[in-house]
Amino acid sequence: MRVASSFRTCHFGAAVFLTAVSLQTACKRQTSPEGVRPEVEEVQPPEPPLSSKLPTIPYKKMDTARLFSGIQIKATLQADFGTTATTERQDPGSYELDLTVRVRVPRPHQSLPELQKLNPEIPNLLPSLESLLSTAKPSAIFEELYQRKVANVQSNLARLDSLLSRHNFFDTETILELEHPDTHRRALLVQADMDVDTDGSDGDRLNTPTGESSTFQPFTSYRWPKLSKRANPFLPEWEKRLRECEKEIATDKLTPARKKELSERQTTLKAELVDLKTKSFLVGSLDPYVVLPIPMVSRKGSEPPAKVGDFCVVIHGSRLFPAIVGDAGPSYKSGEASLRLCREISQKASGGARPENDLKVTYLVFPGTAESPRQVPNYEQWWTRCDSLLQELGGYAGELFFFEDSTKPRPKPTPSPTPFPGDPNFIGPLAPDPNSSQTQGKN
C-alpha cells in the first residue's frame, strides 16, 4: 500500500561535495514500505516564453574604429523582428549597411598670423607679404579643389578602401591671388603639404631608369623635342607592353568589354611610344619642379590660373627654392614636388616617404611666366628668373637655393705645380765645371 508522498528539498553545497558546482536540485521523494526502492522524480521549471529568448528589440550597439586612411568610423548595429528566414533572405533590405560619410570642408584664410602659425619665418623672408595680403583674395580654385575632393569621395562610397584619405582630403590650407600694387606682378600663394613625384625620363641626359615608384610614369607635362639619338631608357618596356597587348587582342576568346579595354590600351601605348621616341621630359630625381592639380593648369573655354612651365618659388622654413610647374596631377590633390626638390627638404624623401606631412610648404606660382619654346632645363636661367620675379613681388630676404646640374660634365681640375719645400730664395749649388781637375778625375 502506497503512503502519501512528501517533498523534501535537498541542498548539496560545495562544502559537502567538493566536485559539485554549487548546484541546487529540487527532489521529490516518495516514501514506501521497507525493501521497496523509492521513486525519484525531477521537478522541471516551466518553459519560458519564446520572446524572452530573443534579443531585446530594438537592439543597438555602437563601435568606433578607424580605417587605414584615417577616417573615423562609428558603426551602429540594430536588430528588429522580421518574418521567416526564407522571406527575409529574399529581401535585400533585411540585411543592409546604411553608410553616411560626414566631412567638414575647410575655408581658405588670408591672414598673415594664420600663415605664421605654419611657418614663423615667412614674414621675414617676404617683407612685403603683409601688404600683399591686405589686397589679396582667395582663389576660386580653392573652392573648386574641395568640390572635386567631395565628388571623389562620393564616387567611391561603395569602396571604402578607395576613399580619399584624411591626409589627402585636407592637403591644402589656402590658395590666394597676390598682386604687387606698383609692379603689378601677380602670384598664386598655395599653402599645402608636400608629396613626392618621381615621374619623367630623358634619354639625352640620363640613359638609365631612376626614381621609380608604384605610380611611376616616364612622362611629365613639361616636355621638349629630343636633341640626340640616344633612346629613352623606358622605350623597350613600352614596346614589350604593346606586343603583349596586341597578342591578347589577336586571341578569339575575348569578351566585348575586354576587347574594348585592350583596344583603348593599344591606342594609348602607341601614342606614348611616339612621345618616348621624339620627346624628352623632366626627370623627378634630377629637376626641381612642382606638380599642380590639372584644373589649375588646364581648362576648357577659359584661361587657367597657371600653366605648365610657369616659374615657382617653394618656401619651407627659412629656405627658398627655385622651380617651375613641371607636371599636372590629380584634380583632387595638391602639394607635390619632384624628388630632387623634396630631398633638399628631407634626405629621407622617396617615392613612399614625403618630406613634409604638415601644411607648412608655401608655393609661390607666377602665372604667365612660362618660356616658349620649352627647352632643356637650365638651372642658372631658372635661378635668375625666380630671383627677378621675387624682386618684382616686393623683394625677399635670405638665400635663394641654387641647384647644381649633375648631368653636365665637370671640368677636370688643372694640376697645380708642386711647391718647393725649402726656402724659395735658395738657388742651390753651382753646377760643376767640366774642365776642373775634380771633374776630370771622376771621369
Side-chain angles (χ1 to χ4, degrees), residues 349-370:
S350 67
R354 60 178 65 93
E356 181 56 76
N357 284 307
D358 298 324
L359 309 180
K360 295 183 176 181
V361 185
T362 304
Y363 303 83
L364 277 178
V365 181
F366 297 94
T369 59

Side-chain angles (χ1 to χ4, degrees), residues 3 29 69 113 135 162 179 199 205 208 229 313 323 373 395 401 426 430:
V3 238
R29 176 170 297 176
S69 56
T135 58
S162 299
E179 183 174 351
D199 290 348
R205 295 184 297 155
T208 56
K229 294 183 179 181
V313 173
F401 185 84
F426 177 72
L430 297 175

Side-chain angles (χ1 to χ4, degrees), residues 29 164 195 214 218-219 222 295 345 355 431:
R29 176 170 297 176
L164 199 61
D195 291 331
S214 59
F219 319 96
Y222 189 96
I345 293 177

Side-chain angles (χ1 to χ4, degrees), residues 229-297:
K229 294 183 179 181
R230 297 176 63 185
N232 188 292
F234 293 94
L235 191 59
E237 172 64 24
W238 255 246
E239 291 174 336
K240 176 184 175 183
R241 293 183 184 186
L242 180 60
R243 288 194 301 268
E244 292 174 348
C245 179
E246 292 177 337
K247 182 179 179 181
E248 187 175 352
I249 289 176
T251 59
D252 298 330
K253 298 179 180 180
L254 285 178
T255 64
R258 180 58 177 166
K259 192 171 183 179
K260 179 182 178 183
E261 178 186 351
L262 288 173
S263 178
E264 293 174 350
R265 177 171 172 79
Q266 181 187 37
T267 302
T268 300
L269 287 171
K270 286 182 176 180
E272 290 176 345
L273 275 169
V274 172
D275 283 341
L276 290 176
K277 292 177 181 179
T278 61
K279 299 290 192 301
S280 289
F281 310 88
L282 295 175
V283 180
S285 60
L286 291 179
D287 303 316
Y289 64 85
V290 301
V291 182
L292 296 181
I294 291 177
M296 285 191 70
V297 297

Side-chain angles (χ1 to χ4, degrees), residues 155-210:
S155 64
N156 287 292
L157 282 180
R159 298 181 55 193
L160 293 181
D161 59 332
S162 299
L163 285 180
L164 199 61
S165 69
R166 174 187 292 268
H167 176 92
N168 285 330
F169 190 92
F170 300 105
D171 63 7
T172 307
E173 184 78 7
T174 191
I175 302 178
L176 301 175
E177 298 177 2
L178 310 179
E179 183 174 351
H180 194 275
D182 299 328
T183 64
H184 300 290
R185 169 54 60 196
R186 295 182 300 115
L188 281 174
L189 187 153
V190 181
Q191 190 71 29
D193 60 7
M194 181 176 280
D195 291 331
V196 180
D197 184 86
T198 63
D199 290 348
S201 60
D202 181 8
D204 292 348
R205 295 184 297 155
L206 188 68
N207 206 33
T208 56
T210 181

